Amino acid sequence: MCCLRFMLLFITISVSFSQPIYAEEPERFMLDNGLVVILKQVHASPLVAVQLWVKTGSIHEGEYLGSGISHLVEHMLFKGTKKRGVGDIGRQVSASGGEIGGYTSMDRTVYHMVMPKDNADIALDILSDAAANAVFDQKEMEKEKDVIFREMDMCEDNPNKYLSRKIWQEAFSHHPYQYPVIGYKEIFSQLNREDLLKYYQQFYVPNNMILSVVGDFNKDRMLADINKYFKELKRNSISPAYIPQEPAQIGKRIFEYERDIKVAYLKMVFHIPDIRSRDLYPLDVMALILGHGASSRLYQALREKEKTVYSIDAWSYTPQYPGLFGISAVLEPENLQKAQDSIWKEVEGLAQGNIGDEELEKARQMVVASYIFSQETVESQAADIASNEYVCGNVNFNRDYVVGVKGVTKQDIIRVAKQYLCENNLTIGILKPNIKEKVISPSIQVKVEPTIQRFVLDNGLVLLVREDESLPIVSMQAVFRGGVLFEEKGKEGVCNLVQKMLLKGTKNRTAKQIVEEIESRGGGISSYGGNNSLGCSVKVLKEDLDLGFSLLSDVLLNPSFPAQEIEKERGAILAAIKSQDDDPFNYAVRVLRENMWQKHPYRYNSLGTEESVKGLNRDDLSVFHQAFCQPWNMVLAVFGDVKAQEIKQKVMGIWGGVKGHNLSSYSLPDEPEQKEAKQVVCEKDKEQSIILLGYHGITVMDPDKYVFDVMSSILSGQGSRLFTNLRDKYGLAYFVGVFPILGLSPGAYVFYIGTSKDKIDAALEGIKKEVKMLRDEVVTDEELSRAKASLIGEHWQGMETNSAHGFDCALDELYGLGYEEVDRFVERINGVTKDDIKRVANKYLQEDKCTVVIVRSEDKKF
């Protein structure tokens, strides 16, 4: 079964909530040319998801094995067809209010789009055109190859991705799972246009494809449109790829690598059978019991009790060919052996029959809840049914899977633990810090009637309730003003530690009891801390509403801040601070903030500093919690299958008697105005280089934030100015775009580009040229229209889930904008003009007040 950490795709529950109220069963069709079509009508939102799955990936590359040709073809498919030039596809999708993307894995290449329902035919037109008429322009291919070289560097710089690639390489000696999807540089560099055309013509045929469509459409009309656009694709014979069988492993394999990192990474994997094996079910259940969630055995034993790891999980990957069962952990290098011993102890406990009835029931409930939660978006549903069809040849495989999971017994788990989780079948991969220390130098309109009800308690708590019966899910979002903005020098990171400690014990529950109660019902609870706020969210099935309220109120009102748990979290945060610099982009953002603000708290790292985190104590956490987690400072959004009056009564019963006290006036330090441009250059032992240009910006209350939104849409994404000019035209970047830092105080607007060391100067000048163009010239009508349509389309996709919708409404209410601001979004975006963009660019994007940060690979010394 596919990795449980990432997807529980194949499940339908045969009870009253098996399908969303506005959904129908998926139906399978086959066109005359062999194209498999799966349709599922879901009328809950005005969106349609369209996915084209091509049944080829890195394991099917034959003579090109190890080259990454599947991935390169995916990159090239939207780079021009016989009737669409370079950038036209991205621009057309944005102008239609949609989103487009693609990915390549070991056994598939997937192209996915989400469109407003009235533009679903555009998605069909584009996908059919790309599948049949991609031109693979030579110049564009060279640019994309350069982009992928940068992507390879990024994978090399990411410790977890690096070790994952190595573990597959070591675990498989014969099967093509050993080859990275992205390919090896030396083989990839040899690919030419003729290779791509040959591969494309061989595999991109309708009888090797699946088209999955889910959303708000009429079935008959959709089938007619699909026939119209895809009938020209011609069936062709496909030579079956030779996939050598992996021989049985007959001894433990261990490998170690050292890199310039701050913490260690551990992976332990075991060979297991493919999806056709009945052992699929107990293997999946065993992965859930061992390492899924904070109540799992490995988390409780190694993270909570022994404190030997910072994170740990388990997963089971059973695709079409025999896969892997894996355990992954992040830890200090001195704990590597102890962690392995403890993992073996937990595995042996399963093999010896140490399995409780409640653990089995919890695993089953997780399966049920995960399926229901996955039904919230049309995109995830389209992926689910396509995967069912491809991996199992049965869109209704989910029913068999549910029966299989429900039938798992203790004896099944004991058997598979003994059979597969044995030392002779084990490969261990370790990535640890090297010895040397590095010194680092410094317009679419859809009217939606209001469905949210607002209540204010006498103590100031604001309650927002949205009644939505489409799925039996309830989402609760509690938010408070707080965050980095309200931290004092010397106490940096206090908000982050407080939000983590909310879930680490109360006067009524231990940390273990909190996670066990929610995870045993398949629900989830999480906390967050940001620049301007902190909060907690709960997601449960309707039947567990009371449990959700009980847990949410307990962690918010009664945190006990146990000393032992504080030390656990302190250790994890200190490790995160150490490892934060391993990612060049995150490191660059931290350096940028430190240089853009001299006194304002926005200069602080949200994790804090090593010194400040070591100095925080229980009293610091209690004071911060009592100051900010009060009813007067709280907005609670409860969205889902509920009744507003019932929710109001529950909330009044829990929080109505809580008085609290108002926060005394809080003054921020005066931030001196930046008088001149700055440039900071840092060197790191990484392959990629990062450039950031930061400009001082606006507050979340400023109406110009919508102008910045439109500007960002013009500048970022496929078909955008930066993408077209700096990535497509000149091949200067793998990724490029902009992002805002918004808050209750003036934030920032940041341009970014990932490039290679030899292109730093050209990339920096290229971005500066684009900024100057924004100041000097108005954008085109086409750019403005496309940007607005794209933003509005993204807005509707964001409104699909009650969790995201509720969180946005709660924050808008908390910040003083009012929850209705979400519904005003379309109007605000449509009101932005070309002159607004030029005005804002001249007001804020001033060259003499720009802060530039360059993180480049260091010079090699021999």
Side-chain angles (χ1 to χ4, degrees), residues 735-833:
F735 58 86
V736 62
V738 296
F739 67 86
I741 299 175
L742 274 177
L744 297 172
S745 286
Y749 194 70
V750 184
F751 290 74
Y752 64 86
I753 184 168
T755 188
S756 56
K757 186 175 182 180
D758 60 317
K759 296 181 179 178
I760 287 176
D761 291 341
L764 178 58
E765 287 306 310
I767 285 191
K768 287 183 175 180
K769 180 180 178 182
E770 295 297 326
V771 175
K772 185 176 185 299
M773 191 182 304
L774 285 171
R775 294 194 301 261
D776 295 346
E777 305 172 14
V778 294
V779 299
T780 67
D781 291 332
E782 180 191 358
E783 286 179 311
L784 185 65
S785 175
R786 186 173 68 245
K788 291 180 178 181
S790 179
L791 286 168
I792 294 169
E794 291 172 8
H795 168 73
W796 285 115
Q797 291 180 55
M799 297 271 282
E800 273 195 283
T801 69
N802 278 314
S803 298
H805 190 183
F807 185 66
D808 286 348
C809 289
L811 282 184
D812 281 346
E813 182 71 25
L814 182 73
Y815 294 156
L817 295 164
Y819 71 89
E820 307 98 328
E821 190 67 14
V822 172
D823 290 331
R824 300 187 189 110
F825 180 84
V826 174
E827 177 185 353
R828 306 285 200 216
I829 292 298
N830 280 333
V832 174
T833 67

Side-chain angles (χ1 to χ4, degrees), residues 329-376:
V330 180
L331 65 169
E332 291 293 337
E334 59 266 27
N335 291 333
L336 278 164
Q337 188 56 55
K338 185 177 180 180
Q340 291 176 65
D341 294 341
S342 297
I343 289 170
W344 270 118
K345 181 179 178 181
E346 294 302 320
V347 169
E348 289 171 355
L350 288 179
Q352 292 167 5
N354 181 19
I355 306 165
D357 293 335
E358 68 280 359
E359 286 184 299
L360 279 176
E361 179 55 34
K362 181 180 78 170
R364 296 185 185 109
Q365 186 65 20
M366 283 181 173
V367 168
V368 173
S370 294
Y371 168 72
I372 296 175
F373 295 154
S374 76
Q375 300 301 293
E376 287 193 280

Side-chain angles (χ1 to χ4, degrees), residues 408-422:
V408 172
T409 67
K410 294 180 185 179
Q411 289 304 316
D412 291 329
I413 296 176
I414 294 169
R415 176 178 54 78
V416 297
K418 289 180 177 179
Q419 182 175 351
Y420 301 111
L421 305 193
C422 54

Side-chain angles (χ1 to χ4, degrees), residues 628-639:
F628 293 98
C629 297
Q630 298 289 339
W632 63 268
N633 189 39
M634 175 179 177
V635 176
L636 174 61
V638 182
F639 284 27

Side-chain angles (χ1 to χ4, degrees), residues 90-91 93-95 97-99 705-723 737-740 749 774 779 782-794 825 829 837:
R91 285 188 287 270
V93 172
S94 295
E99 287 191 346
K705 73 175 183 177
Y706 295 104
V707 181
F708 275 109
D709 282 344
V710 175
M711 184 190 298
S712 297
S713 186
I714 290 172
L715 294 172
S716 297
Q718 288 196 36
S720 68
R721 281 193 177 190
L722 298 182
F723 191 95
V738 296
F739 67 86
Y749 194 70
L774 285 171
V779 299
E782 180 191 358
E783 286 179 311
L784 185 65
S785 175
R786 186 173 68 245
K788 291 180 178 181
S790 179
L791 286 168
I792 294 169
E794 291 172 8
F825 180 84
I829 292 298
I837 294 173

